[in-house]
Amino acid sequence: MATYISEPSHTFSEYLLVPGYSDASCIPSNVSLRTPLVRYRKGEEFPLSLNIPMVSAIMQSVSGSRMAEALAREGGISFIYGSQSIESESAMVSQVKSYKAGFVPSDSNLKPTDTLADVIGLKQKTGHSTVAVTDSGKSDGVLLGVVTSRDYRVSRMDPDTPVSTFMTPFSKLVYGTEPLTLSDANDILWEHKLNQLPIIDSDRRLKCFVFRKDYDSHKENPNELLDSKKRYKVGAGINSRDFKDRVPALLEAGADVLCIDSSEGFTEWQKRTLEWIRSEYGDSVKVGAGNIVDREGFDFLADCGADFVKVGIGGGSICITRETKGIGRGQATALIDVAQARDDYMKKTGIYVPICSDGGLVYDYHMALALAMGADFLMLGRYFARFDESPTEKINLNGSYVKEYWGEGSARARNWQRYDMGGDKKLFFVEGVDSYVPYAGSLKDNLNLTLSKVRSTMCNCGALTISDLQKKAKLTLVSSVSLVEGGAHDVILKDKGPEPIK
């Protein structure tokens, strides 16, 4: 006879937080959102942590290199989508790792015989306006000069003009010579009022650049998530099929953390993947697994060596797994169950395995609820897909701007690797849809607003850290009538009036 769980499973919208005592220190500016990303032993420092409890989903329509850079700048991390070739995913990871470094390898290089047209084409390809001119046209050639956007005017110059005629020649460059500390390089930048400083070796071969904007960026974004070399941290998705080839390539590209992207994680496929990674790399490679929705699934993946576990099946806005296969669980109930399993696992083993709530987050206040229910961090797809930084096109649809958003289980993604269907390299049926989401503007502005709400909610509960929130939170189920009561009701809302002239 089947096992029956008599209690119904609930969603986030069925819960509210009950306010707790807040002392005078409970103000949003005092709230820390730092949280562990991977497993650690009790009493030890987190091996990897986030400065905000948010990561972007492993999806084609969400997590490209631009999203990864923008989210790391705010203190979170992106998992570059794995439903692409190993080479292209590795290239995205490399791009993120080279974007924000104290010492940046040059990815825009030309020979002196190249032309203005080559400069323009290279700028369009890389997005970078600083071009190094070397004898070989490669990043490790002898430095002959530098071209920036101040050195040419497209409207007044022939596209065939040789680079050598308008570059700033080496004789007029301010440069640094190895060995040189980042602090010394920044001092030279400020002393000479430069935007970039080329670094060369004793043979005048180009080694890298140091950019003034990186220094300014860090001052403006104190929560930046950086590695020991002051590069942005970035994650990458893997699957349980080609992991023996994909994992080494992603690590070579610089990925800081990996995550198995699968529709369901309580499987032998994930066990094999984790066992291989541990046998090849030990504990040096950090890898998350999932998704699961109950205690058994968590214990299984934690024992297999997962560094974090993703919770949630069927709750995503573009996921139709529940209606297609009848598989899943209400996200709130799943999260509460797994959080208790994580705490019990900690008591039993002394090891804390963070959990990630993935799916079912519709409103900003759901994020505070998920953290209170035990999530260490949140994985979001629809939320990030709306922003400028997502990889999809912005489209005018019936007078309103939208962005494309499709599930990894959709026919468009063709991501058969995340479904455990034996050896067939195809989708038999879809578990996701192709859709649009309302365009919302930049990540930074929206994220700051969302996090201000989360911090304010935490203060209402008397908590200044996520772990405090989980200890102090009081949650209550609400009725359907209470949901109506919680919004504006029994009033006549004023019209917004005419739009302001722009």
Side-chain angles (χ1 to χ4, degrees):
M1 181 177 176
T3 299
Y4 289 90
I5 300 174
S6 57
E7 289 293 318
S9 63
H10 298 284
T11 66
F12 293 124
S13 289
E14 296 176 79
Y15 283 91
L16 287 174
L17 281 158
V18 178
Y21 172 72
S22 303
D23 62 29
S25 68
C26 283
I27 57 175
S29 60
N30 287 339
V31 171
S32 169
L33 294 176
R34 185 170 180 264
T35 190
L37 177 61
V38 299
R39 69 164 58 203
Y40 63 95
R41 188 168 292 278
K42 185 178 181 180
E44 295 180 351
E45 178 57 33
F46 309 153
L48 278 176
S49 62
L50 301 168
N51 291 329
I52 62 171
M54 300 173 78
V55 304
S56 65
I58 312 169
M59 300 175 69
Q60 295 174 7
S61 55
V62 179
S63 294
S65 55
R66 190 179 175 201
M67 177 63 70
E69 292 161 3
L71 188 50
R73 191 177 300 122
E74 301 304 319
I77 201 168
S78 288
F79 286 88
I80 302 294
Y81 65 91
S83 51
Q84 59 179 317
S85 71
I86 295 173
E87 293 74 20
S88 58
E89 186 181 11
S90 299
M92 284 188 177
V93 170
S94 295
Q95 183 175 340
V96 178
K97 297 305 291 186
S98 65
Y99 180 84
K100 178 64 174 74
F103 297 100
V104 185
S106 178
D107 68 349
S108 300
N109 309 284
L110 292 173
K111 302 187 296 296
T113 54
D114 289 325
T115 66
L116 174 61
D118 295 317
V119 173
I120 296 169
L122 192 58
K123 182 179 179 181
Q124 291 174 341
K125 178 182 178 181
T126 65
H128 299 153
S129 58
T130 298
V131 177
V133 183
T134 65
D135 61 341
S136 63
K138 297 181 179 180
S139 60
D140 59 352
V142 174
L143 183 63
L144 302 178
V146 171
V147 174
T148 70
S149 56
R150 294 182 299 181
D151 293 318
Y152 59 87
R153 295 185 68 177
V154 176
S155 61
R156 297 190 179 185
M157 292 174 61
D158 188 328
D160 293 328
T161 305
V163 167
S164 59
T165 63
F166 60 88
M167 70 181 185
T168 301
F170 182 80
S171 60
K172 295 184 178 180
L173 288 176
V174 177
Y175 57 87
T177 305
E178 289 187 330
L180 189 73
T181 67
L182 183 59
S183 177
D184 289 339
N186 281 323
D187 286 343
I188 296 173
L189 281 171
W190 283 94
E191 179 183 350
H192 294 275
K193 299 180 180 179
L194 304 172
N195 289 323
Q196 69 281 319
L197 180 73
I199 308 297
I200 60 174
D201 63 13
S202 57
D203 295 323
R204 217 174 93 181
R205 292 189 173 276
L206 179 64
K207 305 303 292 184
C208 57
F209 278 89
V210 175
F211 292 94
R212 182 187 184 120
K213 66 178 176 61
D214 288 347
Y215 179 89
D216 294 338
S217 174
H218 182 62
K219 295 301 180 183
E220 295 170 3
N221 301 283
N223 279 332
E224 282 182 315
L225 199 64
L226 306 176
D227 64 16
S228 59
K229 297 181 180 179
K230 298 188 181 300
R231 303 174 300 181
Y232 285 146
K233 288 184 179 179
V234 62
I238 62 173
N239 61 69
S240 56
R241 305 294 179 178
D242 63 7
F243 56 88
K244 293 182 181 179
D245 297 319
R246 191 173 293 267
V247 169
L250 293 173
L251 296 176
E252 177 66 24
D256 297 280
V257 59
L258 307 174
C259 185
I260 304 172
D261 178 30
S262 176
S263 64
E264 207 271 300
F266 196 177
T267 69
E268 183 179 345
W269 304 106
Q270 294 219 2
K271 181 180 180 182
R272 290 182 185 181
T273 305
L274 291 166
E275 285 178 343
W276 182 85
I277 291 174
R278 293 295 169 241
S279 67
E280 293 293 315
Y281 301 100
D283 293 330
S284 64
V285 173
K286 306 304 180 184
V287 55
N291 288 21
I292 51 86
V293 293
D294 63 6
R295 173 182 292 270
E296 287 182 278
F298 173 85
D299 288 340
F300 171 78
L301 291 177
D303 287 339
C304 287
D307 284 296
F308 64 85
V309 174
K310 286 204 297 165
V311 182
I313 294 177
S317 60
I318 40 68
C319 182
I320 55 172
T321 295
R322 295 181 190 176
E323 63 183 83
T324 302
K325 294 166 60 176
I327 297 291
R329 197 178 192 187
Q331 186 67 7
T333 299
L335 186 56
I336 292 168
D337 189 13
V338 174
Q340 184 60 59
R342 175 204 57 202
D343 294 345
D344 291 344
Y345 191 86
M346 172 75 160
K347 293 175 184 176
K348 181 175 68 174
T349 66
I351 297 173
Y352 188 92
V353 181
I355 58 175
C356 168
S357 181
D358 179 18
L361 297 162
V362 180
Y363 304 108
D364 288 350
Y365 83 90
H366 285 174
M367 299 182 195
L369 284 169
L371 295 172
M373 290 173 180
D376 294 283
F377 56 96
L378 318 170
M379 179 171 279
L380 302 112
R382 181 194 60 84
Y383 178 85
F384 288 118
R386 304 172 302 143
F387 302 148
D388 290 320
E389 293 81 3
S390 71
T392 63
E393 295 295 323
K394 183 174 72 171
I395 298 170
N396 190 318
L397 185 68
N398 299 324
S400 298
Y401 281 108
V402 296
K403 296 205 77 177
E404 296 179 295
Y405 180 46
W406 61 91
E408 288 299 295
S410 67
R412 181 172 183 174
R414 300 185 181 277
N415 187 5
W416 66 270
Q417 295 98 329
R418 73 192 306 269
Y419 298 94
D420 300 324
M421 296 179 176
D424 292 299
K425 297 185 178 182
K426 61 182 179 180
L427 289 173
F428 288 102
F429 53 87
V430 299
E431 296 184 40
V433 299
D434 198 342
S435 65
Y436 300 109
V437 289
Y439 168 66
S442 72
L443 178 145
K444 186 179 184 67
D445 292 342
N446 286 275
L447 187 61
N448 286 341
L449 177 59
T450 294
L451 294 179
S452 69
K453 295 177 185 178
V454 172
R455 291 187 178 98
S456 182
T457 300
M458 290 172 64
C459 289
N460 290 143
C461 296
L464 293 177
T465 65
I466 293 172
S467 60
D468 279 347
L469 177 65
Q470 292 166 355
K471 293 171 186 173
K472 295 180 178 181
K474 292 184 290 184
L475 292 135
T476 180
L477 277 166
V478 295
S479 67
S480 58
V481 179
S482 295
L483 292 175
V484 174
E485 180 186 61
H489 61 90
D490 300 313
V491 294
I492 300 173
L493 295 178
K494 293 181 179 180
D495 292 332
K496 292 182 179 179
E499 289 291 324
I501 297 174
K502 297 180 180 179

